[in-house]
Amino acid sequence: MDTYYEQWLREGEKWMASYRKRVLGMSAGKIIPLTIIALMLVFGGIALLNDGSPQDAMNGVWAGLFLGAFISLIYLLLLLPGLSSGRMRRSMQRAVSALNTVDGEQELLGRELLLAAKDSSRVLNYEMVGPKSNHTPARFILSPHYVCLWGSSPLVILVRLSDVSEIRSDEENKRAVNYGTQVSTISKFELHTILFYYKKPGGSSSTEEELADVGMGFFSREIRDRVFAMLQRQQTEGAR
């Protein structure tokens, strides 16, 4: 009989398979065709601007087609390894290992997160809308003792709530580099975060200058606020 922990790992693998299907569908339906069409138009246009004949323009279009297909193939070869179910399982296992779980805790963790994923008040599925995110899916899950985020960076973030002394919301100014064929541009954006501060030896509290032990980043302030409200609500209920 499968353990709860193994079932949870398999649930993560299924989620990644759906993630991969979504990203590949978007790539095949939008990114790759637009890349190929753009290169066909560019190469065909260059041939015409250089006083080329219609045949030269057609040759340019074909050159753009083959170059676009080659670039798209390289893009898929680089993309697919990062979307594998095996990567998701390894990321989940690394996140659990970082908690230094005690005997039997993995079963508790697996059971809680599986149950939480079935409760609409404890799970939030959303899209990543920001630099290089391309509307990829993400999932936040809150169980009585654990917080888990899938699809962010790193791929799996896991926090044991009993380790936490304080949870804060914050804002960070970030920069993203957008690489082009000839010119790279830098764009600025605001990252909305939730910061987890672990309990310190002797029960000392965190100060403003201390760095958070774990952080979760969100491109959307609305999503961050919804997640933070879920955490606050659980803290309030736990204090009763």
mmCIF file of all heavy atoms in Angstrom, residues 122-153:
data_model
loop_
_atom_site.group_PDB
_atom_site.id
_atom_site.type_symbol
_atom_site.label_atom_id
_atom_site.label_comp_id
_atom_site.label_asym_id
_atom_site.label_seq_id
_atom_site.Cartn_x
_atom_site.Cartn_y
_atom_site.Cartn_z
ATOM 1 N N ARG A 122 -8.068 26.132 1.305
ATOM 2 C CA ARG A 122 -6.660 25.925 1.656
ATOM 3 C C ARG A 122 -5.745 25.823 0.441
ATOM 4 O O ARG A 122 -4.551 25.615 0.592
ATOM 5 C CB ARG A 122 -6.515 24.657 2.504
ATOM 6 C CG ARG A 122 -7.096 24.811 3.901
ATOM 7 C CD ARG A 122 -6.784 23.609 4.767
ATOM 8 N NE ARG A 122 -7.095 23.867 6.165
ATOM 9 C CZ ARG A 122 -6.289 24.464 7.012
ATOM 10 N NH1 ARG A 122 -5.111 24.872 6.611
ATOM 11 N NH2 ARG A 122 -6.652 24.667 8.272
ATOM 12 N N VAL A 123 -6.289 25.938 -0.739
ATOM 13 C CA VAL A 123 -5.466 25.838 -1.946
ATOM 14 C C VAL A 123 -5.805 26.999 -2.872
ATOM 15 O O VAL A 123 -6.959 27.426 -2.967
ATOM 16 C CB VAL A 123 -5.681 24.482 -2.659
ATOM 17 C CG1 VAL A 123 -7.119 24.326 -3.118
ATOM 18 C CG2 VAL A 123 -4.744 24.334 -3.845
ATOM 19 N N LEU A 124 -4.791 27.531 -3.536
ATOM 20 C CA LEU A 124 -4.977 28.619 -4.486
ATOM 21 C C LEU A 124 -4.175 28.310 -5.746
ATOM 22 O O LEU A 124 -2.945 28.244 -5.702
ATOM 23 C CB LEU A 124 -4.516 29.946 -3.873
ATOM 24 C CG LEU A 124 -4.641 31.184 -4.771
ATOM 25 C CD1 LEU A 124 -6.090 31.427 -5.160
ATOM 26 C CD2 LEU A 124 -4.057 32.410 -4.085
ATOM 27 N N ASN A 125 -4.875 28.090 -6.835
ATOM 28 C CA ASN A 125 -4.236 27.886 -8.126
ATOM 29 C C ASN A 125 -4.266 29.200 -8.901
ATOM 30 O O ASN A 125 -5.305 29.867 -8.975
ATOM 31 C CB ASN A 125 -4.967 26.805 -8.924
ATOM 32 C CG ASN A 125 -4.871 25.439 -8.276
ATOM 33 O OD1 ASN A 125 -3.776 24.903 -8.106
ATOM 34 N ND2 ASN A 125 -6.002 24.867 -7.915
ATOM 35 N N TYR A 126 -3.142 29.580 -9.478
ATOM 36 C CA TYR A 126 -3.082 30.840 -10.194
ATOM 37 C C TYR A 126 -2.036 30.760 -11.296
ATOM 38 O O TYR A 126 -1.325 29.765 -11.436
ATOM 39 C CB TYR A 126 -2.764 31.994 -9.238
ATOM 40 C CG TYR A 126 -1.417 31.885 -8.546
ATOM 41 C CD1 TYR A 126 -0.303 32.544 -9.049
ATOM 42 C CD2 TYR A 126 -1.256 31.125 -7.387
ATOM 43 C CE1 TYR A 126 0.929 32.454 -8.421
ATOM 44 C CE2 TYR A 126 -0.030 31.031 -6.756
ATOM 45 C CZ TYR A 126 1.059 31.706 -7.272
ATOM 46 O OH TYR A 126 2.273 31.602 -6.656
ATOM 47 N N GLU A 127 -1.967 31.824 -12.107
ATOM 48 C CA GLU A 127 -0.984 31.898 -13.180
ATOM 49 C C GLU A 127 0.109 32.902 -12.827
ATOM 50 O O GLU A 127 -0.164 33.926 -12.207
ATOM 51 C CB GLU A 127 -1.645 32.339 -14.493
ATOM 52 C CG GLU A 127 -2.569 31.302 -15.095
ATOM 53 C CD GLU A 127 -3.108 31.770 -16.432
ATOM 54 O OE1 GLU A 127 -3.002 32.981 -16.748
ATOM 55 O OE2 GLU A 127 -3.644 30.925 -17.163
ATOM 56 N N MET A 128 1.318 32.583 -13.235
ATOM 57 C CA MET A 128 2.441 33.497 -13.056
ATOM 58 C C MET A 128 2.419 34.501 -14.215
ATOM 59 O O MET A 128 2.592 34.121 -15.375
ATOM 60 C CB MET A 128 3.758 32.732 -13.049
ATOM 61 C CG MET A 128 3.855 31.670 -11.971
ATOM 62 S SD MET A 128 4.231 32.349 -10.356
ATOM 63 C CE MET A 128 5.974 32.717 -10.559
ATOM 64 N N VAL A 129 2.167 35.760 -13.907
ATOM 65 C CA VAL A 129 2.110 36.803 -14.928
ATOM 66 C C VAL A 129 3.194 37.827 -14.617
ATOM 67 O O VAL A 129 3.016 38.710 -13.786
ATOM 68 C CB VAL A 129 0.724 37.480 -14.960
ATOM 69 C CG1 VAL A 129 0.683 38.523 -16.072
ATOM 70 C CG2 VAL A 129 -0.371 36.444 -15.159
ATOM 71 N N GLY A 130 4.333 37.678 -15.265
ATOM 72 C CA GLY A 130 5.464 38.558 -15.009
ATOM 73 C C GLY A 130 6.588 38.241 -15.965
ATOM 74 O O GLY A 130 6.428 37.439 -16.896
ATOM 75 N N PRO A 131 7.767 38.844 -15.761
ATOM 76 C CA PRO A 131 8.906 38.629 -16.659
ATOM 77 C C PRO A 131 9.251 37.150 -16.826
ATOM 78 O O PRO A 131 9.491 36.446 -15.856
ATOM 79 C CB PRO A 131 10.044 39.393 -15.961
ATOM 80 C CG PRO A 131 9.345 40.433 -15.149
ATOM 81 C CD PRO A 131 8.076 39.800 -14.684
ATOM 82 N N LYS A 132 9.216 36.681 -18.061
ATOM 83 C CA LYS A 132 9.616 35.324 -18.444
ATOM 84 C C LYS A 132 8.732 34.236 -17.828
ATOM 85 O O LYS A 132 9.088 33.062 -17.846
ATOM 86 C CB LYS A 132 11.086 35.060 -18.071
ATOM 87 C CG LYS A 132 12.067 36.026 -18.706
ATOM 88 C CD LYS A 132 13.493 35.724 -18.296
ATOM 89 C CE LYS A 132 14.455 36.719 -18.895
ATOM 90 N NZ LYS A 132 15.858 36.452 -18.499
ATOM 91 N N SER A 133 7.584 34.604 -17.269
ATOM 92 C CA SER A 133 6.726 33.596 -16.641
ATOM 93 C C SER A 133 5.731 33.009 -17.630
ATOM 94 O O SER A 133 5.336 31.846 -17.516
ATOM 95 C CB SER A 133 5.962 34.207 -15.466
ATOM 96 O OG SER A 133 5.161 35.283 -15.897
ATOM 97 N N ASN A 134 5.285 33.817 -18.609
ATOM 98 C CA ASN A 134 4.425 33.339 -19.689
ATOM 99 C C ASN A 134 3.170 32.608 -19.205
ATOM 100 O O ASN A 134 2.781 31.584 -19.751
ATOM 101 C CB ASN A 134 5.223 32.409 -20.622
ATOM 102 C CG ASN A 134 6.348 33.146 -21.325
ATOM 103 O OD1 ASN A 134 6.192 34.284 -21.711
ATOM 104 N ND2 ASN A 134 7.487 32.495 -21.451
ATOM 105 N N HIS A 135 2.556 33.114 -18.147
ATOM 106 C CA HIS A 135 1.291 32.560 -17.655
ATOM 107 C C HIS A 135 1.412 31.088 -17.229
ATOM 108 O O HIS A 135 0.452 30.330 -17.330
ATOM 109 C CB HIS A 135 0.197 32.700 -18.717
ATOM 110 C CG HIS A 135 -0.165 34.134 -19.003
ATOM 111 N ND1 HIS A 135 -1.193 34.788 -18.365
ATOM 112 C CD2 HIS A 135 0.398 35.041 -19.852
ATOM 113 C CE1 HIS A 135 -1.277 36.034 -18.820
ATOM 114 N NE2 HIS A 135 -0.313 36.212 -19.721
ATOM 115 N N THR A 136 2.586 30.692 -16.765
ATOM 116 C CA THR A 136 2.735 29.316 -16.301
ATOM 117 C C THR A 136 1.984 29.136 -14.979
ATOM 118 O O THR A 136 1.857 30.070 -14.193
ATOM 119 C CB THR A 136 4.221 28.951 -16.108
ATOM 120 O OG1 THR A 136 4.837 29.943 -15.276
ATOM 121 C CG2 THR A 136 4.932 28.896 -17.447
ATOM 122 N N PRO A 137 1.460 27.942 -14.722
ATOM 123 C CA PRO A 137 0.649 27.722 -13.521
ATOM 124 C C PRO A 137 1.482 27.650 -12.246
ATOM 125 O O PRO A 137 2.664 27.336 -12.273
ATOM 126 C CB PRO A 137 -0.027 26.373 -13.804
ATOM 127 C CG PRO A 137 0.893 25.678 -14.756
ATOM 128 C CD PRO A 137 1.507 26.766 -15.594
ATOM 129 N N ALA A 138 0.839 27.958 -11.140
ATOM 130 C CA ALA A 138 1.449 27.832 -9.820
ATOM 131 C C ALA A 138 0.357 27.430 -8.841
ATOM 132 O O ALA A 138 -0.832 27.640 -9.097
ATOM 133 C CB ALA A 138 2.112 29.140 -9.391
ATOM 134 N N ARG A 139 0.772 26.846 -7.724
ATOM 135 C CA ARG A 139 -0.208 26.395 -6.722
ATOM 136 C C ARG A 139 0.321 26.640 -5.320
ATOM 137 O O ARG A 139 1.455 26.268 -5.000
ATOM 138 C CB ARG A 139 -0.511 24.907 -6.908
ATOM 139 C CG ARG A 139 -1.347 24.306 -5.782
ATOM 140 C CD ARG A 139 -1.654 22.846 -6.004
ATOM 141 N NE ARG A 139 -2.706 22.673 -6.989
ATOM 142 C CZ ARG A 139 -3.276 21.491 -7.263
ATOM 143 N NH1 ARG A 139 -2.868 20.400 -6.639
ATOM 144 N NH2 ARG A 139 -4.226 21.414 -8.163
ATOM 145 N N PHE A 140 -0.512 27.280 -4.496
ATOM 146 C CA PHE A 140 -0.199 27.494 -3.080
ATOM 147 C C PHE A 140 -1.119 26.591 -2.262
ATOM 148 O O PHE A 140 -2.330 26.548 -2.483
ATOM 149 C CB PHE A 140 -0.428 28.956 -2.695
ATOM 150 C CG PHE A 140 -0.273 29.217 -1.225
ATOM 151 C CD1 PHE A 140 0.986 29.373 -0.662
ATOM 152 C CD2 PHE A 140 -1.387 29.298 -0.401
ATOM 153 C CE1 PHE A 140 1.131 29.612 0.696
ATOM 154 C CE2 PHE A 140 -1.250 29.530 0.961
ATOM 155 C CZ PHE A 140 0.012 29.691 1.511
ATOM 156 N N ILE A 141 -0.532 25.847 -1.307
ATOM 157 C CA ILE A 141 -1.303 24.939 -0.460
ATOM 158 C C ILE A 141 -0.956 25.217 0.997
ATOM 159 O O ILE A 141 0.221 25.320 1.358
ATOM 160 C CB ILE A 141 -0.993 23.458 -0.781
ATOM 161 C CG1 ILE A 141 -1.187 23.166 -2.268
ATOM 162 C CG2 ILE A 141 -1.874 22.526 0.056
ATOM 163 C CD1 ILE A 141 -0.723 21.776 -2.688
ATOM 164 N N LEU A 142 -1.985 25.329 1.818
ATOM 165 C CA LEU A 142 -1.799 25.598 3.240
ATOM 166 C C LEU A 142 -2.480 24.506 4.053
ATOM 167 O O LEU A 142 -3.693 24.321 3.979
ATOM 168 C CB LEU A 142 -2.411 26.959 3.601
ATOM 169 C CG LEU A 142 -2.427 27.349 5.079
ATOM 170 C CD1 LEU A 142 -1.003 27.463 5.618
ATOM 171 C CD2 LEU A 142 -3.190 28.652 5.270
ATOM 172 N N SER A 143 -1.687 23.748 4.810
ATOM 173 C CA SER A 143 -2.235 22.724 5.698
ATOM 174 C C SER A 143 -2.083 23.216 7.137
ATOM 175 O O SER A 143 -1.488 24.270 7.377
ATOM 176 C CB SER A 143 -1.488 21.392 5.495
ATOM 177 O OG SER A 143 -0.238 21.405 6.172
ATOM 178 N N PRO A 144 -2.610 22.499 8.115
ATOM 179 C CA PRO A 144 -2.493 22.975 9.503
ATOM 180 C C PRO A 144 -1.056 23.202 9.968
ATOM 181 O O PRO A 144 -0.813 24.061 10.817
ATOM 182 C CB PRO A 144 -3.164 21.851 10.302
ATOM 183 C CG PRO A 144 -4.174 21.284 9.365
ATOM 184 C CD PRO A 144 -3.505 21.331 8.012
ATOM 185 N N HIS A 145 -0.094 22.450 9.419
ATOM 186 C CA HIS A 145 1.278 22.565 9.909
ATOM 187 C C HIS A 145 2.308 22.929 8.837
ATOM 188 O O HIS A 145 3.480 23.118 9.153
ATOM 189 C CB HIS A 145 1.714 21.246 10.566
ATOM 190 C CG HIS A 145 0.878 20.853 11.744
ATOM 191 N ND1 HIS A 145 -0.170 19.958 11.662
ATOM 192 C CD2 HIS A 145 0.918 21.261 13.031
ATOM 193 C CE1 HIS A 145 -0.732 19.808 12.851
ATOM 194 N NE2 HIS A 145 -0.089 20.595 13.701
ATOM 195 N N TYR A 146 1.891 23.032 7.570
ATOM 196 C CA TYR A 146 2.860 23.265 6.495
ATOM 197 C C TYR A 146 2.319 24.261 5.472
ATOM 198 O O TYR A 146 1.108 24.392 5.271
ATOM 199 C CB TYR A 146 3.208 21.947 5.777
ATOM 200 C CG TYR A 146 3.767 20.892 6.690
ATOM 201 C CD1 TYR A 146 2.926 19.930 7.250
ATOM 202 C CD2 TYR A 146 5.119 20.871 7.013
ATOM 203 C CE1 TYR A 146 3.431 18.965 8.123
ATOM 204 C CE2 TYR A 146 5.628 19.911 7.887
ATOM 205 C CZ TYR A 146 4.778 18.959 8.433
ATOM 206 O OH TYR A 146 5.269 18.012 9.297
ATOM 207 N N VAL A 147 3.251 24.950 4.832
ATOM 208 C CA VAL A 147 2.958 25.845 3.716
ATOM 209 C C VAL A 147 3.763 25.353 2.520
ATOM 210 O O VAL A 147 4.968 25.102 2.649
ATOM 211 C CB VAL A 147 3.370 27.295 4.041
ATOM 212 C CG1 VAL A 147 3.098 28.198 2.846
ATOM 213 C CG2 VAL A 147 2.636 27.804 5.263
ATOM 214 N N CYS A 148 3.113 25.218 1.370
ATOM 215 C CA CYS A 148 3.811 24.696 0.191
ATOM 216 C C CYS A 148 3.449 25.534 -1.032
ATOM 217 O O CYS A 148 2.287 25.894 -1.232
ATOM 218 C CB CYS A 148 3.415 23.232 -0.039
ATOM 219 S SG CYS A 148 4.344 22.431 -1.368
ATOM 220 N N LEU A 149 4.458 25.862 -1.831
ATOM 221 C CA LEU A 149 4.250 26.603 -3.071
ATOM 222 C C LEU A 149 4.923 25.861 -4.214
ATOM 223 O O LEU A 149 6.110 25.556 -4.152
ATOM 224 C CB LEU A 149 4.830 28.017 -2.948
ATOM 225 C CG LEU A 149 4.646 28.930 -4.159
ATOM 226 C CD1 LEU A 149 3.162 29.197 -4.423
ATOM 227 C CD2 LEU A 149 5.380 30.257 -3.961
ATOM 228 N N TRP A 150 4.155 25.565 -5.257
ATOM 229 C CA TRP A 150 4.670 24.909 -6.460
ATOM 230 C C TRP A 150 4.670 25.903 -7.617
ATOM 231 O O TRP A 150 3.760 26.716 -7.744
ATOM 232 C CB TRP A 150 3.779 23.726 -6.872
ATOM 233 C CG TRP A 150 3.801 22.560 -5.945
ATOM 234 C CD1 TRP A 150 4.642 22.335 -4.903
ATOM 235 C CD2 TRP A 150 2.914 21.432 -5.972
ATOM 236 N NE1 TRP A 150 4.348 21.150 -4.280
ATOM 237 C CE2 TRP A 150 3.294 20.566 -4.919
ATOM 238 C CE3 TRP A 150 1.842 21.067 -6.779
ATOM 239 C CZ2 TRP A 150 2.639 19.365 -4.659
ATOM 240 C CZ3 TRP A 150 1.183 19.869 -6.525
ATOM 241 C CH2 TRP A 150 1.586 19.028 -5.480
ATOM 242 N N GLY A 151 5.695 25.819 -8.450
ATOM 243 C CA GLY A 151 5.721 26.591 -9.684
ATOM 244 C C GLY A 151 6.428 27.919 -9.596
ATOM 245 O O GLY A 151 6.497 28.656 -10.578
ATOM 246 N N SER A 152 6.967 28.263 -8.433
ATOM 247 C CA SER A 152 7.674 29.527 -8.284
ATOM 248 C C SER A 152 9.164 29.281 -8.514
ATOM 249 O O SER A 152 9.552 28.371 -9.233
ATOM 250 C CB SER A 152 7.411 30.102 -6.885
ATOM 251 O OG SER A 152 8.001 31.363 -6.730
ATOM 252 N N SER A 153 9.997 30.065 -7.901
ATOM 253 C CA SER A 153 11.442 29.850 -7.973
ATOM 254 C C SER A 153 12.026 29.930 -6.568
ATOM 255 O O SER A 153 11.946 30.991 -5.925
ATOM 256 C CB SER A 153 12.100 30.922 -8.853
ATOM 257 O OG SER A 153 13.497 30.724 -8.935
#
